[in-house]
Amino acid sequence: ASGTVGSELSRLLAERGHRVLRATSRAPQVGQVPLDQVGGAGVAAAFAGVERAFLLAPPGHVNPHELLIPAIEAARAQGVQKLVLMS
C-alpha cells in the first residue's frame, strides 16, 4: 500500500471508516506490514485477521501467477472471505 494505487485505495477506505492493514514491499512505516511476494516473506502475516483484501501483482514479472498463486493460497488459509485482484 505504498505505491500509487494501494496508497490511494487504502486512504479512501480509511476515510470511509474501514480498518485498513497496509502491506508494502518497501521499508514499512507505522501502520504497514512488510511483504515480499517474490521471496514469500510476510505473506501469511499480511492476511492475518483480514476479511477482505486487495492484491496487486508486482510489476515487471513475466509470470505474475508464480507470485499471485501463493498469495491467494495464503489468503485462503488465513480465512480471507473476499479477494480483489488487480493485474
Side-chain angles (χ1 to χ4, degrees), residues 49-67:
V50 173
E51 295 176 1
R52 296 174 298 249
F54 171 78
L55 185 60
L56 177 63
H61 293 276
V62 177
N63 298 313
H65 65 279
E66 292 175 352
L67 305 177

Side-chain angles (χ1 to χ4, degrees), residues 27-54:
Q29 298 177 4
V30 174
Q32 294 180 331
V33 296
L35 173 62
D36 176 10
Q37 281 186 283
V38 176
V43 175
F47 294 112
V50 173
E51 295 176 1
R52 296 174 298 249
F54 171 78

